[in-house]
Amino acid sequence: MAHIPSDVLEQLNGASEELDLLHIDVEADAEKNRPGREDLLYSRNVLRKQRNWEQQLAAKKNKRKEEKQRRKLHREQESGDCTDNPQLSKRVIKTITKERLAEAQSTGLKVCVDLSMTDCMSDKEISRLAGQLRRLYGSNRKATRPFHVFLTDLREDSRLYRECLRMNDGFLNYVMEITEESCLDLFPPETVVYLTPDAEEALETIDADKVYVLGGLVDESIQKKLSYLRANELSVHTARLPIDEYMVKKDNAKNFHSKILAVNQVFDILLTYCDTGSWSKALEAWFPLGKGYVVALENSQTSPGKTET
């Protein structure tokens, strides 16, 4: 191996040190030009703020659109046009329905469903009643002028309450009054009208100052006059739907004729009468054909009934 003079080694070592220093300077310059953590955080904050701004802008546009649809629907309701508009979003329809039901709790006709007779019902009858209550609420949600509905004498430890929770989605969110109290705990007796098919007096018109009570009862064994006896127990006025006044019997193969209606069917008849002022139209629309009655021809065009306000 050749011998390298010491002065040459010193020069080589010096050059190596200068190269190392130059490399360090280049890395330092590159590090300076590379985006720092603060710059990255700043960029992320800008992007996040921009996204939030875009989301807020989109939400405001949707809100304006929904408010426009809501005003349009209210105008259609006031003018009597059809409110079943497929162009409205489900969210808008749901909001309007809740507003209408909330308004009914201060201005709507008061209708109670007396649920004090469920102890004498079978489990099957309890399930059928829970289904009728679901349909009743569905009709009230769709109504142009919904009623202020009360479910009275409904205990939380009762079979019916548990069945309503099981069968009816969102039962606890129903926009109606659910109470363990009776109708007489809530209203003066002189304002209460108990609707029962066994009453002697026919309901000629509906008074907005009265409270109408429907017997919440499914009785497959046909125990007679249960709702009438309950009304007498409460010592309140009774009335029946004017079936005899506006309908006649129709011949059928089974020779079957019945005036007993489900609670939701009575409710639908009352809703339609309040909307049209015609018992004929209300009975024709909701009285089941299988019950063996039809609206009399002389009453099919006109009806003297009128809702009192």
Side-chain angles (χ1 to χ4, degrees), residues 8-263:
V8 175
L9 285 175
E10 290 178 0
Q11 291 177 2
L12 290 174
N13 290 334
S16 177
E17 291 177 359
E18 289 179 0
L19 288 174
D20 291 339
L21 290 174
L22 180 60
H23 179 67
I24 293 172
D25 291 339
V26 170
E27 286 186 344
D29 291 338
E31 188 69 26
K32 288 180 181 178
N33 294 329
R34 186 183 302 165
R37 185 177 180 183
E38 293 182 359
D39 293 334
L40 289 174
L41 289 175
Y42 175 77
S43 299
R44 290 174 183 170
N45 287 335
V46 170
L47 289 174
R48 185 167 60 251
K49 288 180 180 179
Q50 184 176 354
R51 283 196 299 268
N52 289 338
W53 179 80
E54 290 174 351
Q55 291 172 357
Q56 291 175 6
L57 184 62
K60 287 181 180 179
K61 287 182 178 179
N62 287 335
K63 187 175 181 180
R64 284 196 297 267
K65 181 179 179 181
E66 291 174 358
E67 185 61 33
K68 185 177 180 181
Q69 291 177 333
R70 189 179 303 155
R71 288 196 299 267
K72 180 180 178 181
L73 183 56
H74 282 315
R75 286 196 300 269
E76 290 177 353
Q77 290 174 351
E78 292 174 357
S79 64
D81 294 339
C82 179
T83 60
D84 189 13
N85 191 336
Q87 296 179 350
L88 296 175
S89 68
K90 291 183 179 180
R91 181 178 175 183
V92 171
I93 294 175
K94 186 176 181 180
T95 300
I96 293 172
T97 299
K98 283 191 174 182
E99 289 176 354
R100 203 156 47 197
L101 289 172
E103 183 180 355
Q105 291 193 303
S106 57
T107 62
L109 180 74
K110 295 179 178 63
V111 175
C112 294
V113 181
D114 177 14
L115 300 172
S116 63
M117 296 173 281
T118 57
D119 288 342
C120 63
M121 293 164 55
S122 67
D123 290 343
K124 181 180 177 181
E125 291 167 343
I126 289 289
S127 293
R128 289 184 58 189
L129 180 56
Q132 291 175 13
L133 293 177
R134 181 182 65 246
R135 289 189 286 274
L136 180 152
Y137 182 68
S139 294
N140 206 41
R141 289 181 74 251
K142 297 175 183 177
T144 304
R145 292 188 297 168
F147 293 158
H148 185 183
V149 179
F150 297 78
L151 301 185
T152 61
D153 294 277
L154 182 56
R155 305 186 314 274
E156 291 188 5
D157 62 348
S158 66
R159 288 179 298 154
L160 178 60
Y161 188 88
R162 292 193 297 269
E163 192 67 2
C164 285
L165 291 178
R166 186 185 71 84
M167 291 182 58
N168 306 340
D169 292 338
F171 175 71
L172 295 180
N173 295 322
Y174 280 8
V175 185
M176 59 169 59
E177 308 284 348
I178 301 176
T179 176
E180 296 186 2
E181 296 180 300
S182 74
C183 57
L184 292 188
D185 293 325
L186 303 174
F187 307 105
E190 61 272 15
T191 66
V192 174
V193 179
Y194 205 113
L195 298 183
T196 169
D198 299 302
E200 295 183 3
E201 182 181 336
L203 185 65
E204 296 180 0
T205 187
I206 290 179
D207 187 346
D209 294 327
K210 298 293 186 180
V211 180
Y212 294 89
V213 180
L214 314 181
L217 180 67
V218 174
D219 180 24
E220 295 182 344
S221 63
I222 315 297
Q223 300 179 58
K224 293 185 177 181
K225 296 188 175 182
L226 284 179
S227 59
Y228 184 74
L229 293 174
R230 170 61 174 165
N232 285 342
E233 178 186 334
L234 297 173
S235 299
V236 296
H237 186 73
T238 60
R240 57 176 172 81
L241 292 178
I243 297 171
D244 292 336
E245 287 72 17
Y246 290 91
M247 306 190 80
V248 294
K249 290 183 179 180
K250 182 181 180 180
D251 294 334
N252 56 74
K254 296 182 179 180
N255 194 28
F256 175 75
H257 303 89
S258 175
K259 303 173 188 175
I260 307 300
L261 300 176
V263 63

Side-chain angles (χ1 to χ4, degrees), residues 278-304:
S278 169
W279 284 117
S280 294
K281 291 180 179 178
L283 291 167
E284 188 173 23
W286 297 108
F287 198 96
L289 294 176
K291 295 288 184 178
Y293 284 85
V294 293
V295 173
L297 292 177
E298 61 269 23
N299 292 322
S300 60
Q301 299 298 324
T302 60
S303 172

